[in-house]
Amino acid sequence: MTDVSFLNQIGESKSQFTTNAKFASVMKTVLYAFGNKIVEDLQNNLIKSNASGALSESIHFTITEGEQQFKFQLSLLDYYKWVDKGRRAGKQPPQAEILKWLGYKRINPSDIYAKPVLKGGHKPKALSEISKMKSLAFLIARHIGKHGTKPTNFYSAVVNETTLEQLRMALAKALKRDILIQIAKSQEN
């Protein structure tokens, strides 16, 4: 679980903000701190199950500032769902994706395939490396189709109701601080 309780301390000191700071600067600071922490925790959770690094590298967030609102958007590759929750048995995944994964893992199918012995001492046809890779991809896809994959919970352990509730509380405090800063600024003028 991600602990974002540190967000509550943001904006407590008036010295953090200049008199020309934009309205909602504390809220924006809270959102950026939250986003950075979430991205860091998600990437750390993926260390053991990120073959190509593409999923980890794809994790980022954007904050869009409207006139009276902020929009926080977390983005990552679509297949994060299967990495997070696993894949139940049933349908086979696309073999093309398994082939890519084999390439990322630098798996050499020649190391996996045993030298078959045919009846009568005949030698089997030599398979090309491409054929071996395709065969291995088929076998892996068939295994996933039959048995599924285990969940990693890399996402659901970080982005959950507890974390979102901590963010809501921190944003409520940040809004209060922003209002107090604006009141203090208006009294200075």
Side-chain angles (χ1 to χ4, degrees):
M1 179 179 3
T2 296
D3 180 22
V4 290
S5 60
F6 69 93
L7 295 174
N8 291 324
Q9 283 74 43
I10 294 175
E12 284 191 355
S13 170
K14 286 185 182 180
S15 64
Q16 290 178 319
F17 302 96
T18 61
T19 55
N20 62 1
K22 282 185 173 181
F23 180 71
S25 60
V26 179
M27 288 184 66
K28 195 172 190 176
T29 303
V30 166
L31 284 171
Y32 274 103
F34 174 77
N36 288 328
K37 179 69 173 153
I38 293 297
V39 169
E40 177 187 344
D41 288 352
L42 289 172
Q43 289 173 337
N44 286 339
N45 285 356
L46 275 174
I47 288 172
K48 293 180 183 174
S49 57
N50 197 17
S52 70
L55 181 56
S56 182
E57 290 173 15
S58 76
I59 302 171
H60 69 280
F61 68 93
T62 55
I63 296 173
T64 310
E65 189 173 350
E67 195 171 306
Q68 296 180 1
Q69 67 182 2
F70 286 106
K71 180 181 177 185
F72 178 90
Q73 185 171 0
L74 182 66
S75 301
L76 55 163
L77 293 174
D78 290 339
Y79 69 88
Y80 85 92
K81 298 170 223 154
W82 290 284
V83 176
D84 183 52
K85 296 292 183 193
R87 186 181 179 110
R88 61 188 175 110
K91 189 176 173 186
Q92 291 183 12
Q95 288 182 33
E97 297 302 316
I98 303 293
L99 280 169
K100 285 183 197 175
W101 177 81
L102 288 169
Y104 295 137
K105 287 288 197 180
R106 293 189 165 90
I107 294 175
N108 184 354
S110 296
D111 297 340
I112 296 170
Y113 280 96
K115 304 285 186 218
V117 177
L118 299 176
K119 291 181 181 178
H122 299 288
K123 291 184 178 179
K125 288 184 189 177
L127 291 175
S128 70
E129 289 300 310
I130 294 172
S131 296
K132 290 177 185 177
M133 287 293 272
K134 286 181 178 180
S135 295
L136 185 57
F138 169 77
L139 293 172
I140 291 171
R142 185 174 68 184
H143 184 271
I144 292 171
K146 284 183 180 178
H147 303 285
T149 59
K150 291 181 182 176
T152 63
N153 296 317
F154 88 96
Y155 182 86
S156 53
V158 174
V159 181
N160 54 45
E161 195 54 44
T162 303
T163 306
L164 296 177
E165 185 56 34
Q166 288 177 336
L167 175 62
R168 284 184 206 106
M169 290 170 45
L171 286 173
K173 289 179 181 180
L175 177 60
K176 179 181 174 183
R177 290 181 197 130
D178 279 334
I179 291 170
L180 291 173
I181 289 169
Q182 289 302 312
I183 291 170
K185 283 182 190 177
S186 68
Q187 290 175 349
E188 288 176 3
N189 297 334

